Amino acid sequence: MTRGTRGGAAHEDGARKAGGGAGTAPGGTASGGTAPGGGRASGSGSVSGAGSARPHLSHRVPDLGALELLLAVARHGSLGAAAREVGITQPAASSRIRSMERQLGMALVDRSPRGSRLTDAGALVTDWARRIVEAAEAFDAGAQALRGRRDSRLRVAASMTIAEYLLPGWLIALRAERPDTAVSLQAGNSAAVAERLFAGDADVGFVEGLAVPDGLDGVVVAHDRLAIVAAPSHPWARRRAPLDPAELAATPLVLRERGSGTRQVLDAALSAHGGLARPLLELASTTAVKAAAVSGAGPAVLSELAITEELASRRLVAVPVAGVVLRRDLRAVWPAGHRPAGPARDLLSLTRDRPRGR
């Protein structure tokens, strides 16, 4: 545990838990019972019998920072040296000791030109404090070990377009920041991503649908548009006027499977125009849909992120369509109420630093 000015509520809570739990003096006795020195503990509560509510610690229990300062005074016999050890000024150390004495209702340190000496009560309190601080240090070390185990791996689940065209760049940037974190990526449609998160098989997910799935929280990390594309030999590649939404809906297309974010957006956009015709082909990956379209199997609907090279080389042609919005948000998602921590949190920060899509 790093020594210093840790006087906040979090450290006070840690000291209370490490020191034996609420209502317990450092030696393990209930508040109001016999303290480690033989006298009565100063806590205000008492255990009245089996099944009674466990009392809270007395407000007279000092925080960890004050106890660490007292231990430093005992080691050095000097308030100034103790202040330097814990990283505060001598006036601040003196003020903290006086505050602790008022809190406990007893003198702990005799100050003189020759140095600072513990009173008899101070020596007894120091003995109790040593056990509390040692327990808190063990608590801190254990918590660090748990964080280290959590931070040693990151499991990501992502829908196909994000997994293929956005996540590689984000993960390369994450590796530069966290070289010791092992990352695994599971790709599937948006429904599969949600299932993995619910099952605890992923730490964070990325989806392409219209909204955050039920039971998940999320944040928009990028934007995307769907494009209607066809091989140069297809009649749509040579037309000048934009497609009518009803014509698009009535035409068999090469599509992603149901449950994919791409399919959700297309179904919603064309629901007012008669709904999608029966697919010409229904394929489970963006790469497969793109390959089918390039081969001339039929027109397809794909993310603009996925077809940059094919449009530039004229292996595919973008077909304009009027009267229908095919824009979508790309989201990071996680189980509701459990915001990502550690490497997953860092990955989310990188997605905001490196936006893609429009």
Side-chain angles (χ1 to χ4, degrees):
M1 175 180 294
T2 303
R3 299 191 179 277
T5 57
R6 293 168 301 174
H11 291 90
E12 183 173 349
D13 290 344
R16 291 172 179 175
K17 295 174 184 176
T24 305
T29 58
S31 296
T34 303
R40 301 291 288 178
S42 61
S44 60
S46 62
V47 178
S48 60
S52 62
R54 197 171 186 181
H56 294 291
L57 278 176
S58 165
H59 69 280
R60 293 184 181 274
V61 177
D63 62 45
L64 270 178
L67 296 179
E68 287 184 309
L69 176 61
L70 184 62
L71 291 175
V73 172
R75 280 192 296 273
H76 296 289
S78 164
L79 195 59
R84 287 191 295 274
E85 179 180 316
V86 301
I88 60 177
T89 64
Q90 183 167 339
S94 182
S95 175
R96 183 170 291 186
I97 291 293
R98 286 196 299 270
S99 177
M100 182 165 47
E101 289 175 329
R102 287 194 300 271
Q103 187 178 11
L104 291 173
M106 64 187 74
L108 302 175
V109 178
D110 281 334
R111 303 160 183 82
S112 73
R114 296 184 299 277
S116 299
R117 182 182 63 83
L118 297 178
T119 65
D120 290 342
L124 184 58
V125 171
T126 299
D127 185 50
W128 299 342
R130 184 174 294 108
R131 281 176 274 171
I132 292 174
V133 171
E134 287 173 353
E137 288 173 341
F139 178 93
D140 190 36
Q144 287 186 36
L146 287 176
R147 287 194 298 271
R149 186 169 68 181
R150 177 202 66 192
D151 294 353
S152 67
R153 68 170 187 175
L154 173 62
R155 301 167 301 166
V156 181
S159 50
M160 291 294 186
T161 300
I162 298 175
E164 291 183 64
Y165 301 101
L166 293 178
L167 264 169
W170 295 340
L171 294 179
I172 289 170
L174 180 67
R175 182 167 181 78
E177 293 190 2
R178 286 183 170 269
D180 296 327
T181 298
V183 179
S184 62
L185 171 60
Q186 305 172 77
N189 63 34
S190 295
V193 170
E195 290 172 5
R196 289 190 175 107
L197 288 168
F198 292 137
D201 295 331
D203 303 306
V204 65
F206 295 88
V207 297
E208 306 160 6
L210 292 169
V212 177
D214 291 341
L216 300 179
D217 288 337
V219 62
V220 174
V221 296
H223 304 286
D224 186 26
R225 285 194 182 95
L226 300 182
I228 315 303
V229 295
S233 59
H234 193 276
W236 280 4
R238 296 185 295 274
R239 64 181 294 156
R240 295 181 181 276
L243 283 172
D244 179 84
E247 182 181 1
L248 176 63
T251 302
L253 303 169
V254 180
L255 297 174
R256 285 287 307 280
E257 79 287 3
R258 291 188 180 277
S260 71
T262 300
R263 186 69 172 269
Q264 290 175 21
V265 171
L266 192 60
D267 280 337
L270 296 180
S271 61
H273 303 281
L276 281 169
R278 183 175 180 179
L280 180 66
L281 290 172
E282 195 170 49
L283 303 172
S285 77
T286 299
T287 300
V289 172
K290 185 163 56 174
V294 169
S295 73
V301 180
L302 287 162
S303 163
E304 287 186 344
L305 294 170
I307 55 175
T308 304
E309 292 182 5
E310 287 74 18
L311 293 178
S313 63
R314 294 285 297 174
R315 286 183 291 160
L316 288 175
V317 176
V319 181
V321 58
V324 63
V325 177
L326 296 177
R327 185 180 183 274
R328 62 182 177 175
D329 294 328
L330 309 182
R331 293 179 173 86
V333 292
W334 55 87
H338 299 277
R339 190 167 182 84
R345 178 195 58 222
D346 292 348
L347 178 60
L348 290 187
S349 296
L350 290 170
T351 66
R352 291 190 285 272
D353 292 342
R354 294 165 171 79
R356 288 287 304 273
R358 290 172 288 177

